[in-house]
Amino acid sequence: MVTNVTNFGRSGLHDWLVQRLSALVLAAYTLFLLVFLLINPDLDHVRWMELFQQRWVRGFTLLALVALIGHAWVGMWTISTDYLKPLLLRFLFQSGCSLVLFVYLVWGVRIVWSI
């Protein structure tokens, strides 16, 4: 039996909702970027910077980043609990994933707000 030690005691429904909602946010962000790239075929650095100077774009980008982190965490937690049976190995894997995702989050916030 798998325990929910690193899943913060949440149910499978919570994980399912995180996966689906984060997928919707990521799909919307991807669609937004694709439309922007199609509308601006002669995109240059200045125009790209102007886009990211807008607060709503920064906010949307941060929302997409948080959605990506949540989506990745649920996915990696599920994989580790399904395939890594030794508790120590699972703990080390999940700890490594947590550290990497935290670094990505801090790094992403720093990049988005330093533009």
Side-chain angles (χ1 to χ4, degrees), residues 1-2 52 111:
M1 175 178 230
V2 176
F52 279 91
I111 289 170

Side-chain angles (χ1 to χ4, degrees), residues 1-52:
M1 175 178 230
V2 176
T3 59
N4 285 339
V5 173
T6 57
N7 198 23
F8 307 114
R10 303 273 167 101
S11 68
L13 178 61
H14 176 266
D15 293 344
W16 185 85
L17 283 173
V18 168
Q19 286 289 95
R20 294 331 178 260
L21 293 176
S22 63
L24 287 174
V25 170
L26 292 171
Y29 188 72
T30 301
L31 185 63
F32 162 71
L33 287 179
L34 286 174
V35 168
F36 181 78
L37 291 173
L38 289 173
I39 291 173
N40 298 289
D42 56 341
L43 185 65
D44 60 356
H45 182 72
V46 174
R47 182 74 177 117
W48 189 254
M49 292 295 289
E50 287 173 356
L51 173 68
F52 279 91

Side-chain angles (χ1 to χ4, degrees), residues 72-84 90 93-94:
W73 171 250
V74 172
M76 297 310 289
W77 181 87
T78 302
I79 289 169
S80 68
T81 55
D82 285 350
Y83 297 108
L84 299 176
R90 186 183 323 148
F93 179 79
Q94 290 174 349

Side-chain angles (χ1 to χ4, degrees), residues 57-114:
V57 175
R58 288 182 181 188
F60 194 21
T61 302
L62 288 179
L63 179 64
L65 179 62
V66 170
L68 181 65
I69 299 295
H71 196 90
W73 171 250
V74 172
M76 297 310 289
W77 181 87
T78 302
I79 289 169
S80 68
T81 55
D82 285 350
Y83 297 108
L84 299 176
K85 297 305 176 190
L87 190 59
L88 179 62
L89 182 60
R90 186 183 323 148
F91 174 76
L92 291 173
F93 179 79
Q94 290 174 349
S95 297
C97 287
S98 297
L99 179 64
V100 167
L101 291 175
F102 178 74
V103 168
Y104 286 167
L105 179 64
V106 171
W107 191 13
V109 169
R110 187 169 181 218
I111 289 170
V112 169
W113 288 104
S114 68

